[in-house]
Structure formats: C-alpha cells, structure tokens
C-alpha cells in the first residue's frame, strides 16, 4: 500500500485531503537537524516529514517527536502524551 493511499483512508473525506500545517522552516530543519516547535497536534504526518524532529506541545511543555516512516498518516498529537502515568507513593511507617 502506498503512503498516499494510507493518508486518504483516514477519517477525513478524500476530496478534502489530509489536514496539515505548512511549516515554512521544514527544509531548514531537514538540513540543519533543527527541531520545529508546534502546537498543531491535529496535523497529519506526511511522507516529506520523515526524519524531521518536532517539538509538539502537550498542554504544559514541548515534547520531542522524531518522525519515522511508520508514523506517516497519523497525527502529531498521537506521539506526545498529555497525561502522566499515575504511581502510588510509598507511605512512611
């Protein structure tokens, strides 16, 4: 299956196409290995984003996300978690 067919099989209609934000410094980020800071968690990962490091906002801070080939077609927000794992604290005896 081609990456474009994966993108078109998402929940969005085919005539609208995938939702993405045009990042102006994408080419600079690829060449200089600079992270792109974004709050666009709903942006669909396109095939030309592979190898780019994003700093995705989770509501409190920016978390690093390195885009790989397996992430194409998913959203940026799926890879920066918004909730911390809950752990019980040890009580003093």
């Amino acid at each position: 299956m081609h990456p474009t067919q994966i993108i078109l099989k998402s929940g969005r209609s085919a005539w609208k196409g995938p939702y993405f934000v045009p990042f102006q410094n994408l080419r600079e980020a690829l060449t200089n290995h600079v992270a792109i800071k974004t709050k666009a968690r709903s942006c669909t990962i396109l095939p030309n984003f592979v190898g780019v490091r994003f700093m995705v906002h989770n509501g409190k801070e920016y978390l690093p996300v390195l885009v790989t080939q397996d992430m194409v077609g998913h959203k940026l927000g799926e890879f920066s978690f918004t909730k911390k794992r809950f752990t019980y604290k040890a009580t003093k005896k």
Side-chain angles (χ1 to χ4, degrees):
M1 189 178 286
H2 298 290
T4 53
Q5 290 176 344
I6 293 171
I7 292 171
L8 293 178
K9 289 193 177 193
S10 65
R12 195 168 157 96
S13 64
W15 66 270
K16 286 184 183 178
Y19 173 76
F20 68 97
V21 177
F23 297 107
Q24 279 75 24
N25 53 355
L26 185 65
R27 192 168 294 167
E28 175 191 337
L30 272 170
T31 57
N32 299 339
H33 303 291
V34 179
I36 299 174
K37 263 185 150 178
T38 182
K39 289 187 178 182
R41 295 174 55 85
S42 60
C43 175
T44 304
I45 298 174
L46 300 177
N48 57 344
F49 291 174
V50 174
V52 178
R53 182 176 301 275
F54 287 95
M55 298 294 286
V56 183
H57 197 257
N58 71 346
K60 184 176 180 181
E61 58 191 3
Y62 289 92
L63 299 178
V65 174
L66 179 65
V67 178
T68 61
Q69 186 65 37
D70 298 332
M71 296 179 180
V72 173
H74 292 270
K75 304 286 186 179
L76 279 174
E78 294 181 41
F79 304 103
S80 68
F81 300 108
T82 56
K83 297 180 180 178
K84 288 193 292 184
R85 183 177 297 256
F86 180 76
T87 57
Y88 288 100
K89 295 183 180 179
T91 58
K92 293 182 182 179
K93 291 186 177 184

